[in-house]
Amino acid sequence: EVQLEESGGRVVRPGGSLRLSCAASGFIFDDHGLNWVRQVPGKGLEWISFINWNGGSTAYADSVKGRFTISRDTAKNSLYLQMNSLRAEDTALYYCARLQLLGDAFDVWGQGTMVTVSS
Amino acid sequence: QSALTQPPSASGSPGQSVTISCTGTNSDVGGYDFVSWYQQHPGKAPKLLIYEVSKRPSGVPDRFSGSKSGNTASLTVSGLQAEDEADYYCSSLVSSTNYVFGTGTKVTVL
């Protein structure tokens, strides 16, 4: 079964750091670009970061550029999001989402991990 | 990058059709045929319904259809069913590596 499973979300103080993980299974990890998408509870989806199949290309939304870093580890079939200088407005449910093979739609999603930035 | 504009809500009776618009700019919706649509039920992850404007992944009923004209994409749900009550989001490629989502539309089945 094709699956993505996020972990690492917790309560963190403003200005703090956190690393999210996303474990992939059931598909050839290296074939796909991967993304992080977040959603404030009760609000809409926000794309925040992309990494291509081999990690050679990354992209970020302006809202997180310079503070967040996306990476991937083929040996562990895992995607990561290093989040620094966290702000209250980063509080959200963070999803990892797989990019279609040869496409630009998010065809597989995890269930999300909740990050709360609060003092 | 600003979110694509969707109406906050839409509704229809069972069996009817509802169409949701998704308006962007020449830099996103109008510039690429890479518009996708997602359905999200409460407490669940989004699910891909439509990709590349009008293509359906396997398993998605043909009641769901997509189209695009200029800077506006549309999702039509025909033959509304109770289980179609959910939030719907559009998304578009913005550049070779960046994406943007729509503001979301809550569909109510009356």
Side-chain angles (χ1 to χ4, degrees):
Chain A
E1 181 188 3
V2 174
Q3 250 184 330
L4 296 171
E5 185 173 357
E6 304 90 341
S7 61
R10 62 174 175 88
V11 178
V12 61
R13 298 285 177 95
S17 297
L18 195 59
R19 189 176 88 150
L20 304 183
S21 300
C22 172
S25 59
F27 64 95
I28 300 173
F29 187 70
D30 288 353
D31 277 354
H32 293 266
L34 295 166
N35 298 262
W36 288 98
V37 176
R38 68 184 181 184
Q39 185 172 36
V40 174
K43 302 297 184 182
L45 300 171
E46 180 189 13
W47 172 84
I48 58 170
S49 189
F50 158 83
I51 188 166
N52 77 335
W53 65 277
N54 66 358
S57 177
T58 60
Y60 301 91
D62 289 344
S63 58
V64 305
K65 196 176 295 183
R67 300 187 299 122
F68 290 10
T69 302
I70 191 171
S71 61
R72 61 192 294 163
D73 185 334
T74 296
K76 296 183 178 180
N77 275 12
S78 291
L79 172 72
Y80 304 102
L81 186 67
Q82 178 66 42
M83 310 164 68
N84 298 332
S85 303
L86 282 161
R87 307 166 179 167
E89 54 264 36
D90 295 318
T91 294
L93 184 64
Y94 284 73
Y95 292 104
C96 61
R98 188 183 82 168
L99 210 55
Q100 279 178 315
L101 198 61
L102 304 177
D104 285 287
F106 310 110
D107 65 347
V108 178
W109 296 69
Q111 287 304 304
T113 187
M114 187 68 200
V115 173
T116 303
V117 183
S118 174
S119 54
Chain B
Q1 178 64 42
S2 299
L4 307 175
T5 301
Q6 297 181 232
S9 62
S11 63
S13 299
Q16 290 186 330
S17 295
V18 64
T19 296
I20 303 165
S21 62
C22 168
T23 301
T25 69
N26 289 335
S27 298
D28 38 62
V29 174
Y32 303 92
D33 283 335
F34 291 113
V35 175
S36 50
W37 289 90
Y38 303 85
Q39 178 190 61
Q40 187 180 35
H41 287 108
K44 300 294 187 182
K47 172 189 172 185
L48 177 64
L49 287 179
I50 297 287
Y51 66 99
E52 292 176 17
V53 176
S54 60
K55 298 177 181 178
R56 277 187 312 276
S58 61
V60 173
D62 59 7
R63 303 187 293 105
F64 295 92
S65 61
S67 63
K68 190 185 89 165
S69 178
N71 294 340
T72 298
S74 298
L75 173 72
T76 297
V77 186
S78 306
L80 266 177
Q81 298 182 5
E83 59 262 36
D84 298 332
E85 187 160 294
D87 294 326
Y88 292 81
Y89 295 90
C90 61
S91 176
S92 175
L93 183 67
V94 176
S95 66
S96 59
T97 56
N98 288 50
Y99 300 85
V100 64
F101 282 97
T103 50
T105 298
K106 181 176 180 60
V107 169
T108 301
V109 181
L110 301 171

